[in-house]
Amino acid sequence: MTEVEKLYELLRKLQEPKGYFFNVDREIVFDLLNGLLVNKKRYGYMSCPCRLATGQYEKDRDILCPCEYRKPDVEEYGSCYCNLYVSKEWNEEKMPHVYVPERRPPEKIPY
């Protein structure tokens, strides 16, 4: 089993009981999980692969996966910003798949 597959199984077991499911598109999921692993090697923690991290843990705490924006994103849109975590209804296409806007405040985004 690859490192990405191990992470998939670990996170699936932790998150599904909380009502968060992986996107049914495994290619997207595995790309994102690989990004988490790259960030873990790069920074020492799994920051969101869809956002820019600073490399400073305290500044990036809000984007440690699962980020603090996941819950409101999934509640409102059925998916988190990355489309990694989704609701059961989103996976079953019982709701529209719309763009999830960035909730991270602009002052936290390192440009």
Side-chain angles (χ1 to χ4, degrees), residues 2-19:
T2 67
E3 192 175 7
V4 171
E5 290 169 329
K6 288 177 188 174
L7 182 60
Y8 177 90
E9 285 304 318
L10 172 70
L11 294 177
R12 186 185 63 74
K13 288 176 186 174
L14 290 172
Q15 300 304 322
E16 282 187 1
K18 298 175 187 178

Side-chain angles (χ1 to χ4, degrees), residues 9-54:
E9 285 304 318
L10 172 70
L11 294 177
R12 186 185 63 74
K13 288 176 186 174
L14 290 172
Q15 300 304 322
E16 282 187 1
K18 298 175 187 178
Y20 298 102
F21 301 87
F22 282 130
N23 185 329
V24 292
D25 186 330
R26 279 255 181 133
E27 185 175 341
I28 288 172
V29 170
F30 277 52
D31 283 347
L32 291 167
L33 293 177
N34 188 59
L36 288 172
L37 292 170
V38 166
N39 285 344
K40 184 175 183 181
K41 289 175 185 151
R42 182 181 292 152
Y43 305 121
Y45 50 88
M46 291 193 298
S47 64
C48 175
C50 297
R51 295 179 167 106
L52 292 174
T54 64

Side-chain angles (χ1 to χ4, degrees), residues 1-109:
M1 190 179 286
T2 67
E3 192 175 7
V4 171
E5 290 169 329
K6 288 177 188 174
L7 182 60
Y8 177 90
E9 285 304 318
L10 172 70
L11 294 177
R12 186 185 63 74
K13 288 176 186 174
L14 290 172
Q15 300 304 322
E16 282 187 1
K18 298 175 187 178
Y20 298 102
F21 301 87
F22 282 130
N23 185 329
V24 292
D25 186 330
R26 279 255 181 133
E27 185 175 341
I28 288 172
V29 170
F30 277 52
D31 283 347
L32 291 167
L33 293 177
N34 188 59
L36 288 172
L37 292 170
V38 166
N39 285 344
K40 184 175 183 181
K41 289 175 185 151
R42 182 181 292 152
Y43 305 121
Y45 50 88
M46 291 193 298
S47 64
C48 175
C50 297
R51 295 179 167 106
L52 292 174
T54 64
Q56 299 172 32
Y57 181 84
E58 285 303 315
K59 288 185 176 182
D60 294 338
R61 285 180 61 150
D62 63 320
I63 59 168
L64 298 181
C65 190
C67 74
E68 67 181 50
Y69 311 106
R70 177 186 70 171
K71 183 178 180 186
D73 284 350
V74 173
E75 286 175 356
E76 186 172 348
Y77 299 101
S79 171
C80 72
Y81 180 69
C82 298
N83 297 137
L84 176 64
Y85 288 109
V86 301
S87 67
K88 186 176 182 183
E89 295 77 20
W90 192 93
N91 264 343
E92 293 173 350
E93 297 191 24
K94 293 181 179 176
M95 63 187 309
H97 293 186
V98 298
Y99 172 76
V100 179
E102 174 64 273
R103 288 183 193 267
R104 192 174 198 210
E107 63 273 11
K108 288 192 170 200
I109 300 171

